[in-house]
Amino acid sequence: MTVMNDRSKTVQLEDIARELGISKTTVSRAISGKGRVSSDTREKVFECMRRMNYSPNMMAKSFSEKRTYNIGVVIPSDDIDTETPFFQTCLMGISKCCAPRGYDTLVIGAERGDLSHLKRIIGSRKADGIIITRPMQNGLTEQLLTESEIPYVTVGRSSEYGAVTIDSAHKEGCFELTSYLLMNNKPSKLGLILGSMEQSVNRSRYEGFVKAVESAGGLIPTKTIFLGVNGEMQLRRVIEDLLQRECGCVICGDDMICMYVINMLGAVGKVIPRDIRVASLYNSMYLDMYSPPITALSFRASDLGATAASLLLDMLEGKQTSQETMLGFEMLIRGSTM
Amino acid sequence: MTVMNDRSKTVQLEDIARELGISKTTVSRAISGKGRVSSDTREKVFECMRRMNYSPNMMAKSFSEKRTYNIGVVIPSDDIDTETPFFQTCLMGISKCCAPRGYDTLVIGAERGDLSHLKRIIGSRKADGIIITRPMQNGLTEQLLTESEIPYVTVGRSSEYGAVTIDSAHKEGCFELTSYLLMNNKPSKLGLILGSMEQSVNRSRYEGFVKAVESAGGLIPTKTIFLGVNGEMQLRRVIEDLLQRECGCVICGDDMICMYVINMLGAVGKVIPRDIRVASLYNSMYLDMYSPPITALSFRASDLGATAASLLLDMLEGKQTSQETMLGFEMLIRGSTM
DNA sequence: TTGAAAGCGCTAACAT
DNA sequence: ATGTTAGCGCTTTCAA
């Protein structure tokens, strides 16, 4: 007694072959497009595939091909960064690029440089390639990946470790924004507040700022430049200092700094932009919705992710890719600097 | 001529077996702990495993066991929601729970109810179970999953479709917060602004509010309750209305609404909490950093994710799980309502 | 252009 | 307690 109703659950390659009276091999070839198949049979196969609603068992396919059709995305899972929309937006950009190309996106958490999760993924061969969304200082992740001979792309830093990278034009953006503010300067001192200078992004920003001031023939306002600012307390002192020096316009390194600045200014009764103008070198929706909306540089995290994914998939398919890709920015001139 | 140096790349089950002079099966059993193995051989196997740095080929394991050790997470990929930290935080909670149990987390984007990505995952059998982070009105996702006989858990809604769900105590939270505000009411009208009433979370909030007012023996302040508020324009009118009615305290449905409210109040020169007190039924870091910090209910998205994952993994392992789980909240009483 | 058959590395029934 | 063996569903030589 043969039981066949179990077959009905999941149609597989062999079912199509049997239906068409041809071999599995031919069906496989028709679908993958790899071997030579007469266009006649190919059509039949496709028709039958659709009719029987076939979709390949990826586990078997992966196993056989030795590729998972997964790409892993290393994301900081520290409490702080977990709230930062950048990584999520970037991740969705990656996913949106991968899905139509038949790849899926695997989340790899990395808490404070802990690479154990990534190591497990590598060991178990569950991803064909990796995207690093926040390259760390030490380059340990890059090193690990290089040793494991796994293709990878980093988002947001120049290729210090020979990695393929994709970055935003922070320096150029900061240059443009600073230049704009200098031009429209109802003459007053310009302030700059940046976070940790160990992050290359802040170094780029600083370079852009300096270049803009010099291009405008001005002097670098060293007294009102604050680098490596970290935490509410420091920020509070910085604000006080800026106000005392009658700084008329302050450029904030990112949206978090900017939020603090806005709140602190409000708390001491300063009105934006009447008393002081404010701009941010990194936009976020909270800066959008503020009234007045805050002048800011807008970088599209989603595009960064999508581009990184696109590059990585190209690499996996053996295509040659450029070592370093730079994405542009948008300058949103809004009420806070009018 | 036999070439062996290729073997050296990846050590597999058979290498261990050969090294120890036992069979693959025994090694497999020792590792999985499924069959009976003498503690003596087991130790030897483990020692050898470590020594040879063996880690199983998950593709082969998956294929053989018919499980991927992946769980898929459906995440809204609309532009708006992509910025919402909730989903990312939830996702990281899921990932943190899955990783130590040997599971990985697959991102499944769902743009405006487009289930094609999910369907592909289902068809290709790339995930053993699914977590839905934002159940939709229509329950189509649930239906699809049920038909496909794939275990799933939904985050953030009561089990309308017979699904296993995990939710936060929004009603209870709103009750507590409202009660607190009523008690500390330097007598004045209480305002309430909620978003779309099609979201069950807002219905829960409303219930909590009403219950609190009734428990306090008060009258429902219908004139200052605004339901289904949506967009900046509407919100602006609501604020004006609230101010005209000399509302002394306003409860905002979530952090976005609250941000708008704060900004608009600031724009018309109202000082929090002197002129008007403000609270939010959903906290975020922006509410934390505001000065004064905003009184709010805090729900831990990360815990929601972790709990959902834990439930799902239990289900996959055949354990019985409760149909509905409710997570608590924290009430952050802060400067904005002092 | 097509087919037969041999794997891919693991698990699990069955035998011992 | 351990070994033998037969798959899992695909891809891919190698023949025809």
Side-chain angles (χ1 to χ4, degrees), chain A residues 9-11 55-60 62-63 65-70 75-89 91-92 95-96 98-111 117 120-126 128 149 232 236 255-256 259-260 263-264 266-267 284-286 289-291, chain B residues 9-11 55-63 65-70 75-89 91-92 95-96 98-111 117 120-126 128 149 232 236 255-256 259-260 263-264 267 284-286 289-291:
Chain A
K9 298 226 64 157
T10 312
V11 29
S55 81
N57 180 331
M58 285 306 283
M59 292 196 244
S62 291
F63 178 45
E65 284 187 69
K66 296 184 190 312
R67 351 166 61 196
T68 58
Y69 291 97
N70 286 155
I75 296 197
S77 58
D78 315 73
D79 283 347
I80 319 142
D81 297 315
T82 261
E83 296 260 313
T84 311
F86 173 81
F87 298 104
Q88 181 178 354
T89 310
L91 183 67
M92 293 322 294
S95 165
K96 266 187 198 167
C98 286
R101 289 175 70 168
Y103 278 78
D104 288 297
T105 309
L106 222 49
V107 174
I108 307 176
E111 193 151 0
H117 192 171
R120 216 196 63 226
I121 299 281
I122 294 174
S124 60
R125 305 164 196 73
K126 278 189 81 163
D128 301 333
E149 296 182 350
E232 197 172 340
R236 199 173 291 281
D255 54 330
M256 295 290 287
M259 290 291 296
Y260 275 118
N263 289 333
M264 289 174 187
S284 80
M285 63 171 167
Y286 296 95
M289 70 166 70
Y290 198 81
S291 78
Chain B
K9 299 225 62 156
T10 311
V11 28
S55 80
N57 180 330
M58 286 306 284
M59 292 195 245
K61 190 173 159 70
S62 291
F63 178 43
E65 285 187 66
K66 296 185 188 314
R67 358 164 57 195
T68 58
Y69 291 96
N70 286 155
I75 295 196
S77 58
D78 315 73
D79 282 347
I80 319 144
D81 298 315
T82 260
E83 295 260 313
T84 310
F86 173 80
F87 299 103
Q88 181 177 356
T89 310
L91 183 67
M92 293 322 294
S95 166
K96 268 188 196 166
C98 286
R101 289 174 72 167
Y103 278 79
D104 288 298
T105 309
L106 223 47
V107 174
I108 306 175
E111 193 151 0
H117 192 171
R120 218 197 62 226
I121 298 280
I122 294 174
S124 59
R125 304 163 196 76
K126 278 188 83 164
D128 301 334
E149 296 182 352
E232 196 171 341
R236 199 172 292 280
D255 55 328
M256 295 291 287
M259 290 290 297
Y260 275 119
N263 289 334
M264 289 174 187
S284 81
M285 61 173 169
Y286 296 96
M289 69 166 71
Y290 198 80
S291 78

Side-chain angles (χ1 to χ4, degrees), chain A residues 131-198:
Chain A
I131 293 174
I132 305 177
T133 58
R134 189 192 54 182
M136 290 179 304
Q137 282 284 100
N138 52 30
L140 248 39
T141 318
E142 288 86 335
Q143 192 183 325
L144 175 61
L145 256 12
T146 304
E147 280 167 9
S148 313
E149 296 182 350
I150 296 187
Y152 69 95
V153 172
T154 64
V155 173
R157 177 165 68 190
S158 52
S159 50
E160 297 175 30
Y161 298 89
V164 171
T165 68
I166 160 110
D167 201 353
S168 293
H170 290 287
K171 180 179 170 184
E172 292 72 10
C174 187
F175 173 83
E176 293 290 343
L177 181 55
T178 306
S179 297
Y180 168 84
L181 293 172
L182 286 170
M183 275 185 30
N184 296 53
N185 212 1
K186 300 124 189 170
S188 67
K189 286 202 204 86
L190 207 55
L192 175 67
I193 309 176
L194 292 177
S196 166
M197 292 308 279
E198 294 186 340

Side-chain angles (χ1 to χ4, degrees), chain B residues 222-255:
Chain B
T222 43
K223 297 274 187 190
T224 52
I225 293 180
F226 298 87
L227 308 180
V229 176
N230 184 18
E232 196 171 341
M233 293 254 296
Q234 278 189 37
L235 211 42
R236 199 172 292 280
R237 271 200 297 273
V238 167
I239 303 282
E240 282 168 13
D241 206 346
L242 283 175
L243 289 176
Q244 224 161 31
R245 293 178 189 279
E246 298 186 326
C247 181
C249 178
V250 51
I251 302 177
C252 306
D254 59 41
D255 55 328

